[in-house]
Each structure stands twice: as structure tokens, then as C-alpha cells.
Amino acid sequence: MAFIHATASNITHKNSISRGLRWLASIGAGIALLGCTPDFNFGPSSGLDRGVDRPDLSSQSNLPPALGEVIGEGNVRVALLLPLSGNEGLASVGTSMRNGAKMAIDKINSSAGFPRNVQIVIKDTQGNATTARSAAAEAITEGASLILGPLRSDGVRAAGAVARSSGVPLIGYSNNSGAAASGVYLLNVLPETEVKRSIQYAQKFGRQSFAAIVPRTAFGQIQEGAFRVAASQSGASIQGIYQFSDETEARTAVEQVVPFLISGQIDTLFIPDRATAPSIAVLLESAQIDKSSITILGSADWDGDERISQTPFLAGAFFPAVDGAGYDKLKPEYEAIYGTTPHPMVTFAYTSVLLANSSSLATSTPPYNRQQLTRASGFSGQDGVFRFEDNGTNAHALVMKQVELGGSRVVDEAKIPSATAVVTTR
């Protein structure tokens, strides 16, 4: 059996989220819904954002000149920090997101139902934290009331520190929860949310005893941490976490967990790494594990991976994912305009610009204040319902998918994981 070795991942993605491209690891070498109704006021669905209910601020601008590409006609200035040069892989993601932001502005300008609250100043971070910090400082001197981006966690930390010191909120695109802070919010789907969604889904079927097999990589460390946090928040019992660096250690990890799987002391196994999950599955099958007696959980990184769907032992396994309907809706319009397929991160850029333009945020006093950004009802974006937490992290509604030979199917509609422990059925 050929074992596919785990590789380190730069977890800054829509970060490895759904459709198999969401973790920034995916850019390759370049690197029950809420109890209350979510806020759908990105556009004409809410009276707060209808042009007739809010003054058009576009002709009232007294903002100073700004460096960078300016899109939008509103009076509230928002900076968008993206990698548009430097590392080719990062720049391609940044370009796709810039195009997504332009599509959002086009949507605002072309619809009578949308007020024109914002103008977006796009600044190139060149994919590094130092430039991101400088771009954030420049944006603040130019009168920005909100900063969107950067893409990577190191840039979010650097730009976020500048923004916080000036009292300007920042919404970054990293999925590394360590980059979040009060006033520094993350829009990307977080690993903790993914794993929590999976654990709580398994608990509905009476699963109680969980274990994980993870690689000793950056991806593995983040997934292990998310597993621990999610299990604690969900009241799940962790029976073991097994790590590996190579094929020999992976075989040893499987040998160690097999007796507990056979005896029923472990009924759920979390194997998030898509590169090595098929090989681990083959090892489990060789050990004659009855897969009908256990539940296998993957990560959102599994979505769209052909090797996962072609591994017989993984058929029936579950993994969380972003509902792809929003991306699928944008994709043909994007391709018609730009002649290429958008990166999945395009939906975050699109959502964040519409969010920034929302009258309940842009025209609040002060603009984008914490109370409005962290409202319990949350928001509805291109990828579904989400909410920001006070500490800068977030919760996203995710679907659950089940692996089938040759693909996967949605088995549970989009939900935000519950805040409290799930009571099992046993």
C-alpha cells in the first residue's frame, strides 16, 4: 500500500473550507440555525437597507484622497487589504477576491433596493504582514471606518494591531482563530466550528467516545486543537489522540486504536487530513474493523477530494462543509465577466463588501460598532448564516455531507453548532 505522507498546511484559508479548496492550504504551492432570525439586511430584503429609507450618502463625501483602487460611491470609507502581487498563488486568490468585491459593488450600484453607503479602497499587501500593517495605517489616516482583510493570519494580526490601537474594527479572512481579538473579527469558517458541527452531528446518533488520528503538521496541530475545544464544548469524551509523522508512525497509531474500536470503547474516529485519510482507511480495513460499528468523521478539507470518494472504507463517513449554493450562484457570473473560474474565497470578499454596505452597520453610531457587529441574530452571507463573537471568532452554519463512492451527498442541512453540550441518545 502506498502511503500518502502528510504535508504542512498554511491554515489561513476560507481556510480549507468547503469544496476542497477552502483552507489556504488549498492554494497549493502559493500557499439548528440560530434561535432568532438572522439579519438579512445586506440588501432589499430589509427595509433598513432600502434606498427610500436611508439617505444616499454618495454625494456627501468629504473624505480625503486615498491611495489605491477606489470602487463604490458611498460616503463611508472601507479599506480592502488583499495580496495582489508577490507570491503568485496568493496573488491569484487576492485577484479573485478583488473581482468578487467589484461584483458586490456592481450589485449595489445596479439595484434600486441597495443604498450606496460605502466606497472601497483596495490596497495591495503583497502577501506579507509588514506591508499589511503599513496598508492598515495608511487606510486609517485616509479615514477608513472599517478594514476588510488581510488574507493570512500573520497579516491579520499585524493589521489588526494597528486597527485596534485606532479604534477601527477589522474583519479578516483568515481561519486561524489565534488571529482573532476584540475588534478584530474573522469571517472565514474556523476549524473549531467545523469539528464542533461534526461531533454534535455524531452525538445525535448516540456516539459518545471519540478519538483522532492526526499528522504532526501545521494542519494536524490546528485540527487537534479544534478537536479538543469542540469536544469540550460539546460534552464529548476524548479517548485518545494519535499522531504520526510518517508511514511507520501511522501504522503504529492505527495498531494502537484498533483494539479500542473493536471493543467499542471508541465509537467515533476523527481523521481530518485528506492526504492521508485514504491510507489510514486502508489500514483500518486491513485490521478487519467493522465500519458499520463506528462513525468516521473527516474535515471540510475532504470536500471534493477524489481519493476520499474513491476509497471504499470511507464510504459512509461524514464531514462538514459550507453550503456550496452561494459559490455556485456567483461562479457563472464571475466567469462571464472575467473569463476564469473564481477561487472559493471569492464568496467571502463578496459577502464582506455587502456586509460593510449594510445600513445597520455603515450608518450606525459609530459605524461598525461592536454591538451591531456581534448581534446575536447574526447575518446571512453568500455562504449562509454566520455571526461574529465578542472575542473576534465566529460561528458559521455548515451542512453535513456523507461520502459515497464517486462523490458525496448532503445529509443534514446547514446549521450553526449549538453553544451548549449536546445530550446523547444513549
Side-chain angles (χ1 to χ4, degrees), residues 196-244:
K196 190 174 180 181
R197 178 73 170 96
S198 297
I199 287 177
Q200 292 184 354
Y201 182 72
Q203 286 176 317
K204 290 183 178 181
F205 299 97
R207 297 306 187 184
Q208 300 182 30
S209 302
F210 294 73
I213 300 178
V214 296
R216 286 193 180 94
T217 63
F219 177 87
Q221 290 175 356
I222 288 176
Q223 289 292 312
E224 178 186 343
F227 180 63
R228 292 183 185 277
V229 170
S232 175
Q233 293 177 345
S234 302
S237 173
I238 294 180
Q239 299 299 311
I241 296 176
Y242 305 86
Q243 299 178 327
F244 64 92

mmCIF file of all heavy atoms in Angstrom, residues 196-244:
data_model
loop_
_atom_site.group_PDB
_atom_site.id
_atom_site.type_symbol
_atom_site.label_atom_id
_atom_site.label_comp_id
_atom_site.label_asym_id
_atom_site.label_seq_id
_atom_site.Cartn_x
_atom_site.Cartn_y
_atom_site.Cartn_z
ATOM 1 N N LYS A 196 -16.818 20.995 15.752
ATOM 2 C CA LYS A 196 -17.975 21.010 16.649
ATOM 3 C C LYS A 196 -19.235 20.559 15.917
ATOM 4 O O LYS A 196 -20.053 19.802 16.458
ATOM 5 C CB LYS A 196 -18.153 22.416 17.220
ATOM 6 C CG LYS A 196 -19.161 22.521 18.348
ATOM 7 C CD LYS A 196 -19.133 23.939 18.920
ATOM 8 C CE LYS A 196 -20.118 24.100 20.060
ATOM 9 N NZ LYS A 196 -20.099 25.492 20.592
ATOM 10 N N ARG A 197 -19.396 21.013 14.691
ATOM 11 C CA ARG A 197 -20.559 20.596 13.889
ATOM 12 C C ARG A 197 -20.545 19.081 13.706
ATOM 13 O O ARG A 197 -21.581 18.417 13.829
ATOM 14 C CB ARG A 197 -20.519 21.302 12.529
ATOM 15 C CG ARG A 197 -21.648 20.923 11.569
ATOM 16 C CD ARG A 197 -22.967 21.521 11.988
ATOM 17 N NE ARG A 197 -23.985 21.361 10.946
ATOM 18 C CZ ARG A 197 -24.882 20.383 10.915
ATOM 19 N NH1 ARG A 197 -24.902 19.458 11.862
ATOM 20 N NH2 ARG A 197 -25.777 20.332 9.934
ATOM 21 N N SER A 198 -19.377 18.515 13.414
ATOM 22 C CA SER A 198 -19.264 17.079 13.193
ATOM 23 C C SER A 198 -19.545 16.287 14.465
ATOM 24 O O SER A 198 -20.283 15.294 14.456
ATOM 25 C CB SER A 198 -17.870 16.737 12.673
ATOM 26 O OG SER A 198 -17.627 17.333 11.419
ATOM 27 N N ILE A 199 -18.934 16.717 15.574
ATOM 28 C CA ILE A 199 -19.119 15.994 16.834
ATOM 29 C C ILE A 199 -20.585 16.006 17.246
ATOM 30 O O ILE A 199 -21.150 14.978 17.639
ATOM 31 C CB ILE A 199 -18.226 16.607 17.933
ATOM 32 C CG1 ILE A 199 -16.757 16.243 17.680
ATOM 33 C CG2 ILE A 199 -18.659 16.122 19.313
ATOM 34 C CD1 ILE A 199 -15.792 16.859 18.670
ATOM 35 N N GLN A 200 -21.215 17.168 17.165
ATOM 36 C CA GLN A 200 -22.608 17.257 17.584
ATOM 37 C C GLN A 200 -23.527 16.450 16.666
ATOM 38 O O GLN A 200 -24.538 15.907 17.115
ATOM 39 C CB GLN A 200 -23.045 18.722 17.665
ATOM 40 C CG GLN A 200 -22.346 19.469 18.803
ATOM 41 C CD GLN A 200 -22.829 20.900 18.968
ATOM 42 O OE1 GLN A 200 -23.620 21.407 18.180
ATOM 43 N NE2 GLN A 200 -22.336 21.565 20.002
ATOM 44 N N TYR A 201 -23.170 16.351 15.407
ATOM 45 C CA TYR A 201 -23.948 15.522 14.486
ATOM 46 C C TYR A 201 -23.823 14.056 14.893
ATOM 47 O O TYR A 201 -24.826 13.318 14.943
ATOM 48 C CB TYR A 201 -23.475 15.721 13.052
ATOM 49 C CG TYR A 201 -24.265 14.939 12.034
ATOM 50 C CD1 TYR A 201 -25.568 15.308 11.711
ATOM 51 C CD2 TYR A 201 -23.722 13.831 11.400
ATOM 52 C CE1 TYR A 201 -26.312 14.588 10.769
ATOM 53 C CE2 TYR A 201 -24.447 13.114 10.467
ATOM 54 C CZ TYR A 201 -25.743 13.495 10.160
ATOM 55 O OH TYR A 201 -26.467 12.780 9.239
ATOM 56 N N ALA A 202 -22.609 13.603 15.213
ATOM 57 C CA ALA A 202 -22.404 12.217 15.631
ATOM 58 C C ALA A 202 -23.117 11.941 16.952
ATOM 59 O O ALA A 202 -23.663 10.837 17.157
ATOM 60 C CB ALA A 202 -20.912 11.926 15.756
ATOM 61 N N GLN A 203 -23.140 12.914 17.840
ATOM 62 C CA GLN A 203 -23.805 12.724 19.129
ATOM 63 C C GLN A 203 -25.309 12.476 18.977
ATOM 64 O O GLN A 203 -25.922 11.801 19.801
ATOM 65 C CB GLN A 203 -23.563 13.943 20.029
ATOM 66 C CG GLN A 203 -22.144 14.015 20.588
ATOM 67 C CD GLN A 203 -21.920 15.278 21.393
ATOM 68 O OE1 GLN A 203 -22.341 16.360 21.000
ATOM 69 N NE2 GLN A 203 -21.265 15.136 22.529
ATOM 70 N N LYS A 204 -25.891 13.009 17.926
ATOM 71 C CA LYS A 204 -27.319 12.795 17.701
ATOM 72 C C LYS A 204 -27.638 11.320 17.488
ATOM 73 O O LYS A 204 -28.768 10.883 17.697
ATOM 74 C CB LYS A 204 -27.791 13.599 16.494
ATOM 75 C CG LYS A 204 -27.822 15.105 16.717
ATOM 76 C CD LYS A 204 -28.372 15.818 15.492
ATOM 77 C CE LYS A 204 -28.460 17.311 15.716
ATOM 78 N NZ LYS A 204 -29.010 18.016 14.525
ATOM 79 N N PHE A 205 -26.640 10.557 17.081
ATOM 80 C CA PHE A 205 -26.831 9.133 16.837
ATOM 81 C C PHE A 205 -26.271 8.296 17.989
ATOM 82 O O PHE A 205 -26.049 7.092 17.848
ATOM 83 C CB PHE A 205 -26.175 8.735 15.518
ATOM 84 C CG PHE A 205 -26.757 9.461 14.333
ATOM 85 C CD1 PHE A 205 -26.140 10.592 13.814
ATOM 86 C CD2 PHE A 205 -27.939 9.035 13.758
ATOM 87 C CE1 PHE A 205 -26.687 11.273 12.739
ATOM 88 C CE2 PHE A 205 -28.498 9.704 12.682
ATOM 89 C CZ PHE A 205 -27.874 10.838 12.169
ATOM 90 N N GLY A 206 -26.050 8.951 19.110
ATOM 91 C CA GLY A 206 -25.620 8.241 20.302
ATOM 92 C C GLY A 206 -24.131 8.022 20.432
ATOM 93 O O GLY A 206 -23.682 7.311 21.339
ATOM 94 N N ARG A 207 -23.350 8.604 19.566
ATOM 95 C CA ARG A 207 -21.899 8.442 19.673
ATOM 96 C C ARG A 207 -21.372 9.223 20.874
ATOM 97 O O ARG A 207 -21.730 10.379 21.074
ATOM 98 C CB ARG A 207 -21.212 8.902 18.395
ATOM 99 C CG ARG A 207 -21.602 8.078 17.157
ATOM 100 C CD ARG A 207 -21.384 6.598 17.373
ATOM 101 N NE ARG A 207 -21.591 5.809 16.159
ATOM 102 C CZ ARG A 207 -21.527 4.492 16.103
ATOM 103 N NH1 ARG A 207 -21.283 3.802 17.218
ATOM 104 N NH2 ARG A 207 -21.717 3.848 14.973
ATOM 105 N N GLN A 208 -20.516 8.571 21.666
ATOM 106 C CA GLN A 208 -20.060 9.170 22.916
ATOM 107 C C GLN A 208 -18.549 9.225 23.084
ATOM 108 O O GLN A 208 -18.037 10.113 23.757
ATOM 109 C CB GLN A 208 -20.643 8.385 24.107
ATOM 110 C CG GLN A 208 -22.156 8.350 24.155
ATOM 111 C CD GLN A 208 -22.660 7.595 25.368
ATOM 112 O OE1 GLN A 208 -22.011 7.577 26.410
ATOM 113 N NE2 GLN A 208 -23.808 6.958 25.236
ATOM 114 N N SER A 209 -17.853 8.254 22.512
ATOM 115 C CA SER A 209 -16.415 8.121 22.772
ATOM 116 C C SER A 209 -15.633 8.395 21.497
ATOM 117 O O SER A 209 -15.717 7.640 20.524
ATOM 118 C CB SER A 209 -16.111 6.705 23.289
ATOM 119 O OG SER A 209 -16.849 6.448 24.465
ATOM 120 N N PHE A 210 -14.831 9.452 21.523
ATOM 121 C CA PHE A 210 -14.174 9.946 20.318
ATOM 122 C C PHE A 210 -12.662 9.798 20.412
ATOM 123 O O PHE A 210 -12.069 9.878 21.491
ATOM 124 C CB PHE A 210 -14.514 11.425 20.109
ATOM 125 C CG PHE A 210 -15.966 11.685 19.816
ATOM 126 C CD1 PHE A 210 -16.934 11.581 20.804
ATOM 127 C CD2 PHE A 210 -16.376 12.029 18.536
ATOM 128 C CE1 PHE A 210 -18.268 11.825 20.533
ATOM 129 C CE2 PHE A 210 -17.716 12.272 18.251
ATOM 130 C CZ PHE A 210 -18.665 12.169 19.254
ATOM 131 N N ALA A 211 -12.043 9.596 19.257
ATOM 132 C CA ALA A 211 -10.589 9.581 19.136
ATOM 133 C C ALA A 211 -10.205 10.229 17.823
ATOM 134 O O ALA A 211 -11.042 10.364 16.913
ATOM 135 C CB ALA A 211 -10.043 8.162 19.218
ATOM 136 N N ALA A 212 -8.951 10.627 17.707
ATOM 137 C CA ALA A 212 -8.472 11.281 16.489
ATOM 138 C C ALA A 212 -7.117 10.733 16.098
ATOM 139 O O ALA A 212 -6.304 10.365 16.960
ATOM 140 C CB ALA A 212 -8.386 12.789 16.702
ATOM 141 N N ILE A 213 -6.883 10.669 14.795
ATOM 142 C CA ILE A 213 -5.554 10.354 14.251
ATOM 143 C C ILE A 213 -5.169 11.529 13.365
ATOM 144 O O ILE A 213 -5.819 11.794 12.352
ATOM 145 C CB ILE A 213 -5.565 9.050 13.432
ATOM 146 C CG1 ILE A 213 -5.999 7.869 14.301
ATOM 147 C CG2 ILE A 213 -4.178 8.781 12.848
ATOM 148 C CD1 ILE A 213 -6.071 6.541 13.540
ATOM 149 N N VAL A 214 -4.121 12.245 13.754
ATOM 150 C CA VAL A 214 -3.754 13.480 13.048
ATOM 151 C C VAL A 214 -2.260 13.495 12.737
ATOM 152 O O VAL A 214 -1.450 12.957 13.496
ATOM 153 C CB VAL A 214 -4.108 14.729 13.885
ATOM 154 C CG1 VAL A 214 -5.609 14.819 14.094
ATOM 155 C CG2 VAL A 214 -3.391 14.724 15.228
ATOM 156 N N PRO A 215 -1.877 14.122 11.636
ATOM 157 C CA PRO A 215 -0.451 14.227 11.295
ATOM 158 C C PRO A 215 0.242 15.285 12.135
ATOM 159 O O PRO A 215 -0.386 16.232 12.617
ATOM 160 C CB PRO A 215 -0.483 14.637 9.824
ATOM 161 C CG PRO A 215 -1.762 15.398 9.683
ATOM 162 C CD PRO A 215 -2.742 14.716 10.595
ATOM 163 N N ARG A 216 1.541 15.126 12.320
ATOM 164 C CA ARG A 216 2.334 16.135 13.020
ATOM 165 C C ARG A 216 2.731 17.232 12.026
ATOM 166 O O ARG A 216 3.877 17.346 11.611
ATOM 167 C CB ARG A 216 3.579 15.509 13.642
ATOM 168 C CG ARG A 216 3.299 14.665 14.872
ATOM 169 C CD ARG A 216 4.586 14.349 15.623
ATOM 170 N NE ARG A 216 4.333 13.549 16.812
ATOM 171 C CZ ARG A 216 4.394 12.222 16.875
ATOM 172 N NH1 ARG A 216 4.715 11.540 15.768
ATOM 173 N NH2 ARG A 216 4.148 11.568 17.989
ATOM 174 N N THR A 217 1.761 18.009 11.634
ATOM 175 C CA THR A 217 1.958 19.116 10.706
ATOM 176 C C THR A 217 1.209 20.317 11.262
ATOM 177 O O THR A 217 0.491 20.213 12.258
ATOM 178 C CB THR A 217 1.391 18.782 9.314
ATOM 179 O OG1 THR A 217 -0.033 18.584 9.432
ATOM 180 C CG2 THR A 217 2.032 17.540 8.724
ATOM 181 N N ALA A 218 1.360 21.465 10.578
ATOM 182 C CA ALA A 218 0.610 22.647 11.000
ATOM 183 C C ALA A 218 -0.891 22.374 10.931
ATOM 184 O O ALA A 218 -1.651 22.738 11.835
ATOM 185 C CB ALA A 218 0.973 23.839 10.110
ATOM 186 N N PHE A 219 -1.328 21.715 9.867
ATOM 187 C CA PHE A 219 -2.734 21.360 9.727
ATOM 188 C C PHE A 219 -3.169 20.447 10.862
ATOM 189 O O PHE A 219 -4.225 20.657 11.483
ATOM 190 C CB PHE A 219 -2.962 20.678 8.376
ATOM 191 C CG PHE A 219 -4.375 20.204 8.152
ATOM 192 C CD1 PHE A 219 -5.328 21.053 7.616
ATOM 193 C CD2 PHE A 219 -4.749 18.905 8.483
ATOM 194 C CE1 PHE A 219 -6.645 20.622 7.412
ATOM 195 C CE2 PHE A 219 -6.050 18.463 8.281
ATOM 196 C CZ PHE A 219 -6.991 19.334 7.740
ATOM 197 N N GLY A 220 -2.374 19.434 11.136
ATOM 198 C CA GLY A 220 -2.714 18.493 12.188
ATOM 199 C C GLY A 220 -2.803 19.137 13.553
ATOM 200 O O GLY A 220 -3.699 18.829 14.349
ATOM 201 N N GLN A 221 -1.878 20.054 13.850
ATOM 202 C CA GLN A 221 -1.894 20.734 15.142
ATOM 203 C C GLN A 221 -3.162 21.561 15.315
ATOM 204 O O GLN A 221 -3.781 21.566 16.379
ATOM 205 C CB GLN A 221 -0.662 21.634 15.274
ATOM 206 C CG GLN A 221 0.647 20.864 15.428
ATOM 207 C CD GLN A 221 1.857 21.790 15.424
ATOM 208 O OE1 GLN A 221 1.735 22.994 15.243
ATOM 209 N NE2 GLN A 221 3.036 21.217 15.630
ATOM 210 N N ILE A 222 -3.555 22.252 14.257
ATOM 211 C CA ILE A 222 -4.767 23.066 14.322
ATOM 212 C C ILE A 222 -5.997 22.181 14.470
ATOM 213 O O ILE A 222 -6.907 22.468 15.259
ATOM 214 C CB ILE A 222 -4.876 23.977 13.089
ATOM 215 C CG1 ILE A 222 -3.837 25.096 13.190
ATOM 216 C CG2 ILE A 222 -6.269 24.559 12.945
ATOM 217 C CD1 ILE A 222 -3.782 26.003 11.998
ATOM 218 N N GLN A 223 -6.037 21.084 13.730
ATOM 219 C CA GLN A 223 -7.174 20.182 13.830
ATOM 220 C C GLN A 223 -7.246 19.512 15.203
ATOM 221 O O GLN A 223 -8.335 19.327 15.757
ATOM 222 C CB GLN A 223 -7.103 19.122 12.729
ATOM 223 C CG GLN A 223 -7.380 19.672 11.338
ATOM 224 C CD GLN A 223 -8.812 20.108 11.160
ATOM 225 O OE1 GLN A 223 -9.743 19.383 11.492
ATOM 226 N NE2 GLN A 223 -9.007 21.317 10.638
ATOM 227 N N GLU A 224 -6.095 19.171 15.760
ATOM 228 C CA GLU A 224 -6.083 18.581 17.099
ATOM 229 C C GLU A 224 -6.618 19.581 18.126
ATOM 230 O O GLU A 224 -7.445 19.240 18.986
ATOM 231 C CB GLU A 224 -4.673 18.145 17.495
ATOM 232 C CG GLU A 224 -4.611 17.579 18.909
ATOM 233 C CD GLU A 224 -3.196 17.264 19.379
ATOM 234 O OE1 GLU A 224 -2.292 17.182 18.521
ATOM 235 O OE2 GLU A 224 -3.016 17.092 20.597
ATOM 236 N N GLY A 225 -6.138 20.828 18.028
ATOM 237 C CA GLY A 225 -6.621 21.855 18.947
ATOM 238 C C GLY A 225 -8.111 22.082 18.806
ATOM 239 O O GLY A 225 -8.841 22.213 19.801
ATOM 240 N N ALA A 226 -8.585 22.115 17.568
ATOM 241 C CA ALA A 226 -10.017 22.306 17.320
ATOM 242 C C ALA A 226 -10.821 21.127 17.863
ATOM 243 O O ALA A 226 -11.920 21.307 18.402
ATOM 244 C CB ALA A 226 -10.259 22.468 15.823
ATOM 245 N N PHE A 227 -10.274 19.929 17.736
ATOM 246 C CA PHE A 227 -10.931 18.721 18.237
ATOM 247 C C PHE A 227 -11.094 18.785 19.758
ATOM 248 O O PHE A 227 -12.159 18.481 20.298
ATOM 249 C CB PHE A 227 -10.105 17.504 17.826
ATOM 250 C CG PHE A 227 -10.648 16.181 18.271
ATOM 251 C CD1 PHE A 227 -11.883 15.725 17.823
ATOM 252 C CD2 PHE A 227 -9.911 15.370 19.120
ATOM 253 C CE1 PHE A 227 -12.383 14.490 18.227
ATOM 254 C CE2 PHE A 227 -10.384 14.137 19.530
ATOM 255 C CZ PHE A 227 -11.630 13.693 19.085
ATOM 256 N N ARG A 228 -10.043 19.209 20.421
ATOM 257 C CA ARG A 228 -10.099 19.311 21.888
ATOM 258 C C ARG A 228 -11.131 20.357 22.320
ATOM 259 O O ARG A 228 -11.935 20.114 23.239
ATOM 260 C CB ARG A 228 -8.724 19.656 22.453
ATOM 261 C CG ARG A 228 -7.674 18.551 22.306
ATOM 262 C CD ARG A 228 -6.369 18.958 22.948
ATOM 263 N NE ARG A 228 -5.305 17.990 22.732
ATOM 264 C CZ ARG A 228 -5.119 16.887 23.461
ATOM 265 N NH1 ARG A 228 -5.951 16.633 24.474
ATOM 266 N NH2 ARG A 228 -4.124 16.069 23.199
ATOM 267 N N VAL A 229 -11.100 21.518 21.679
ATOM 268 C CA VAL A 229 -12.032 22.588 22.031
ATOM 269 C C VAL A 229 -13.471 22.173 21.757
ATOM 270 O O VAL A 229 -14.364 22.340 22.592
ATOM 271 C CB VAL A 229 -11.690 23.879 21.255
ATOM 272 C CG1 VAL A 229 -12.794 24.924 21.424
ATOM 273 C CG2 VAL A 229 -10.357 24.457 21.727
ATOM 274 N N ALA A 230 -13.699 21.617 20.569
ATOM 275 C CA ALA A 230 -15.053 21.234 20.173
ATOM 276 C C ALA A 230 -15.608 20.129 21.069
ATOM 277 O O ALA A 230 -16.790 20.139 21.427
ATOM 278 C CB ALA A 230 -15.062 20.789 18.716
ATOM 279 N N ALA A 231 -14.758 19.173 21.427
ATOM 280 C CA ALA A 231 -15.210 18.080 22.306
ATOM 281 C C ALA A 231 -15.591 18.621 23.678
ATOM 282 O O ALA A 231 -16.613 18.234 24.255
ATOM 283 C CB ALA A 231 -14.119 17.028 22.427
ATOM 284 N N SER A 232 -14.779 19.528 24.198
ATOM 285 C CA SER A 232 -15.070 20.129 25.497
ATOM 286 C C SER A 232 -16.390 20.890 25.469
ATOM 287 O O SER A 232 -17.220 20.768 26.380
ATOM 288 C CB SER A 232 -13.929 21.053 25.911
ATOM 289 O OG SER A 232 -14.229 21.744 27.112
ATOM 290 N N GLN A 233 -16.600 21.670 24.412
ATOM 291 C CA GLN A 233 -17.812 22.471 24.309
ATOM 292 C C GLN A 233 -19.053 21.618 24.070
ATOM 293 O O GLN A 233 -20.171 22.046 24.385
ATOM 294 C CB GLN A 233 -17.660 23.495 23.180
ATOM 295 C CG GLN A 233 -16.616 24.569 23.460
ATOM 296 C CD GLN A 233 -16.433 25.521 22.297
ATOM 297 O OE1 GLN A 233 -16.873 25.254 21.179
ATOM 298 N NE2 GLN A 233 -15.783 26.649 22.551
ATOM 299 N N SER A 234 -18.867 20.437 23.518
ATOM 300 C CA SER A 234 -19.997 19.571 23.185
ATOM 301 C C SER A 234 -20.225 18.460 24.201
ATOM 302 O O SER A 234 -21.140 17.648 24.042
ATOM 303 C CB SER A 234 -19.788 18.954 21.795
ATOM 304 O OG SER A 234 -19.634 19.946 20.815
ATOM 305 N N GLY A 235 -19.381 18.404 25.217
ATOM 306 C CA GLY A 235 -19.527 17.369 26.224
ATOM 307 C C GLY A 235 -19.127 15.995 25.745
ATOM 308 O O GLY A 235 -19.578 14.980 26.287
ATOM 309 N N ALA A 236 -18.276 15.923 24.736
ATOM 310 C CA ALA A 236 -17.837 14.636 24.191
ATOM 311 C C ALA A 236 -16.616 14.130 24.947
ATOM 312 O O ALA A 236 -15.788 14.915 25.417
ATOM 313 C CB ALA A 236 -17.518 14.779 22.701
ATOM 314 N N SER A 237 -16.492 12.829 25.024
ATOM 315 C CA SER A 237 -15.366 12.215 25.720
ATOM 316 C C SER A 237 -14.275 11.843 24.721
ATOM 317 O O SER A 237 -14.520 11.086 23.770
ATOM 318 C CB SER A 237 -15.837 10.957 26.463
ATOM 319 O OG SER A 237 -14.741 10.260 27.022
ATOM 320 N N ILE A 238 -13.067 12.375 24.922
ATOM 321 C CA ILE A 238 -11.923 12.032 24.070
ATOM 322 C C ILE A 238 -11.183 10.854 24.709
ATOM 323 O O ILE A 238 -10.667 10.963 25.829
ATOM 324 C CB ILE A 238 -10.969 13.227 23.901
ATOM 325 C CG1 ILE A 238 -11.663 14.360 23.127
ATOM 326 C CG2 ILE A 238 -9.709 12.789 23.156
ATOM 327 C CD1 ILE A 238 -10.790 15.581 22.921
ATOM 328 N N GLN A 239 -11.119 9.761 23.982
ATOM 329 C CA GLN A 239 -10.453 8.561 24.474
ATOM 330 C C GLN A 239 -8.993 8.485 24.044
ATOM 331 O O GLN A 239 -8.219 7.728 24.628
ATOM 332 C CB GLN A 239 -11.196 7.315 23.986
ATOM 333 C CG GLN A 239 -12.626 7.233 24.466
ATOM 334 C CD GLN A 239 -12.730 7.187 25.976
ATOM 335 O OE1 GLN A 239 -12.045 6.415 26.633
ATOM 336 N NE2 GLN A 239 -13.590 8.039 26.538
ATOM 337 N N GLY A 240 -8.630 9.269 23.041
ATOM 338 C CA GLY A 240 -7.241 9.244 22.608
ATOM 339 C C GLY A 240 -7.011 10.106 21.385
ATOM 340 O O GLY A 240 -7.923 10.292 20.573
ATOM 341 N N ILE A 241 -5.804 10.664 21.290
ATOM 342 C CA ILE A 241 -5.376 11.405 20.110
ATOM 343 C C ILE A 241 -4.044 10.811 19.680
ATOM 344 O O ILE A 241 -3.072 10.797 20.445
ATOM 345 C CB ILE A 241 -5.238 12.904 20.390
ATOM 346 C CG1 ILE A 241 -6.606 13.508 20.750
ATOM 347 C CG2 ILE A 241 -4.658 13.638 19.177
ATOM 348 C CD1 ILE A 241 -6.556 14.978 21.128
ATOM 349 N N TYR A 242 -3.994 10.308 18.464
ATOM 350 C CA TYR A 242 -2.819 9.603 17.960
ATOM 351 C C TYR A 242 -2.190 10.430 16.843
ATOM 352 O O TYR A 242 -2.870 10.870 15.918
ATOM 353 C CB TYR A 242 -3.216 8.216 17.455
ATOM 354 C CG TYR A 242 -3.935 7.391 18.499
ATOM 355 C CD1 TYR A 242 -5.316 7.501 18.663
ATOM 356 C CD2 TYR A 242 -3.237 6.521 19.324
ATOM 357 C CE1 TYR A 242 -5.977 6.744 19.634
ATOM 358 C CE2 TYR A 242 -3.887 5.755 20.282
ATOM 359 C CZ TYR A 242 -5.256 5.889 20.436
ATOM 360 O OH TYR A 242 -5.912 5.142 21.399
ATOM 361 N N GLN A 243 -0.885 10.628 16.932
ATOM 362 C CA GLN A 243 -0.171 11.455 15.968
ATOM 363 C C GLN A 243 0.823 10.622 15.167
ATOM 364 O O GLN A 243 1.295 9.578 15.627
ATOM 365 C CB GLN A 243 0.562 12.588 16.685
ATOM 366 C CG GLN A 243 -0.356 13.534 17.457
ATOM 367 C CD GLN A 243 0.427 14.615 18.181
ATOM 368 O OE1 GLN A 243 1.538 14.403 18.635
ATOM 369 N NE2 GLN A 243 -0.165 15.800 18.278
ATOM 370 N N PHE A 244 1.150 11.119 13.986
ATOM 371 C CA PHE A 244 2.134 10.429 13.160
ATOM 372 C C PHE A 244 2.884 11.423 12.288
ATOM 373 O O PHE A 244 2.365 12.486 11.936
ATOM 374 C CB PHE A 244 1.456 9.369 12.281
ATOM 375 C CG PHE A 244 0.483 9.937 11.277
ATOM 376 C CD1 PHE A 244 0.886 10.270 9.989
ATOM 377 C CD2 PHE A 244 -0.852 10.152 11.626
ATOM 378 C CE1 PHE A 244 -0.008 10.793 9.061
ATOM 379 C CE2 PHE A 244 -1.756 10.670 10.704
ATOM 380 C CZ PHE A 244 -1.339 10.991 9.429
#
